Amino acid sequence: MVIKMALIDISGLHKSYFIGKLETKVLTGLDFKFNPGEMVMVMGPSGCGKTTLLNLLGGIDKPTTGTITVAGNNLGELNAKQLNKFRRTEVGFIFQFYNLIPTLTALENVILGIEAVIQDKTELRKKAEKYLNLVGLSDKMHNLPQELSAGEQQRVAIARALAKEPKLILADEPTGNLDEDRGEKIMALMQKLKEELKMTFLIVTHNSSLKKYADRTLLLRRGQLALN
Ligand SMILES: Nc1ncnc2c1ncn2[C@@H]1O[C@H](COP(=O)(O)OP(=O)(O)O)[C@@H](O)[C@H]1O
Ligand SMILES: [Mg+2]
């Protein structure tokens, strides 16, 4: 019998932040599995812990208790070096506030984001250009972030994550600064990558019109994650 392994396995996940002795409980016992090639939307009110959840899954932050396994890696068992490699190779992160390097052009930002997975310089540049084209930025590749609109910066951040073609994309409000038409195009691109490359997408959004792209929609509320 072949047992299909989940791409993400979350078990008993709790996350609190402490400011001095004051505890803010954000996640209070999450148990979930996500399959390879699945597109999941996570919705929920502001402050409910959506970004916290993505940071934990991407190995940027650590749980208070509980385990997270992503693509066979138990994140709690990785040392700092292994965790860094995991982040650089297995996960494409689309940050809510983009996190572009201000002194690098759009093209250089995307190249920097995928350096860990492509060694050949020519191929690296080709791949970065391909994804900037796919998000509609072929004419802005050599602009610095400050020379781009918020929506254009968001698309650079999207290109940087997708160009890695990783097993997992974690996207924090990826269409938050895009107009409706552009947002739909980005979602269609992600859906295509999901189907062609079997990439898994976890997308945090406030926009319920994106639900139609999801295989499952989950609601994060009062520290719990549930089917919506
Ligand atoms: N680094 C931090 N230190 C203390 N509290 C934090 C920190 N990050 C987030 N929080 C708190 O955790 C809660 C969840 O935040 P967040 O995950 O950013 O929510 P969302 O992305 O759903 O808006 C909020 O109450 C926020 O104030
Ligand atoms: Mg957030």
Side-chain angles (χ1 to χ4, degrees):
M1 190 172 78
V2 179
I3 299 170
K4 200 170 151 195
M5 218 169 84
L7 183 80
I8 304 177
D9 197 330
I10 301 171
S11 170
L13 179 63
H14 290 252
K15 177 68 182 177
S16 293
Y17 292 108
F18 292 90
I19 298 178
K21 280 185 183 158
L22 183 70
E23 178 180 9
T24 307
K25 291 184 182 178
V26 181
L27 305 176
T28 57
L30 269 51
D31 292 283
F32 249 93
K33 289 186 203 305
F34 301 102
N35 297 317
E38 191 175 25
M39 185 174 283
V40 180
M41 300 277 171
V42 177
M43 308 196 67
S46 180
C48 72
K50 302 181 296 296
T51 298
T52 298
L53 177 62
L54 292 188
N55 287 343
L56 293 169
L57 294 176
I60 293 172
D61 202 354
K62 286 189 180 347
T64 306
T65 56
T67 58
I68 301 171
T69 305
V70 180
N73 303 283
N74 181 338
L75 300 190
E77 289 176 350
L78 302 185
N79 63 32
K81 196 175 163 197
Q82 291 166 324
L83 205 54
N84 190 39
K85 182 165 182 242
F86 165 80
R87 280 193 296 260
R88 286 169 64 85
T89 59
E90 306 278 27
V91 185
F93 214 116
I94 304 172
F95 294 93
Q96 188 168 10
F97 304 108
Y98 328 134
N99 289 14
L100 301 176
I101 312 272
T103 52
L104 299 182
T105 65
L107 181 62
E108 289 163 348
N109 264 284
V110 177
I111 287 175
L112 183 67
I114 61 177
E115 263 177 358
V117 292
I118 301 174
Q119 274 72 47
D120 182 83
K121 282 231 154 56
T122 313
E123 204 195 319
L124 192 58
R125 190 186 168 105
K126 258 198 198 156
K127 185 74 85 179
E129 287 173 348
K130 174 183 165 182
Y131 276 86
L132 282 162
N133 273 320
L134 285 170
V135 299
L137 286 176
S138 45
D139 55 341
K140 301 276 169 82
M141 287 191 198
H142 303 294
N143 289 37
L144 294 169
Q146 67 189 34
E147 298 163 344
L148 299 170
S149 72
E152 287 166 344
Q153 290 180 43
Q154 186 156 45
R155 282 186 277 147
V156 176
I158 291 168
R160 177 177 61 185
L162 297 181
K164 204 187 267 185
E165 299 180 345
K167 292 194 184 88
L168 175 63
I169 293 283
L170 299 171
D172 205 347
E173 307 266 7
T175 62
N177 264 303
L178 307 181
D179 60 50
E180 203 181 314
D181 181 50
R182 185 61 73 180
E184 296 278 342
K185 282 187 180 140
I186 293 292
M187 289 310 301
L189 170 62
M190 293 198 195
Q191 198 166 44
K192 189 161 169 270
L193 292 170
K194 179 194 98 157
E195 274 152 25
E196 289 178 359
L197 303 178
K198 296 280 169 282
M199 282 159 63
T200 302
F201 289 82
L202 219 76
I203 302 176
V204 161
T205 182
H206 272 111
N207 185 351
S208 56
S209 74
L210 299 185
K211 273 188 190 173
K212 59 178 179 285
Y213 295 99
D215 298 308
R216 281 195 287 171
T217 307
L218 305 177
L219 185 64
L220 184 59
R221 212 172 43 167
R222 296 193 201 97
Q224 299 281 321
L225 192 57
L227 263 176
N228 191 13

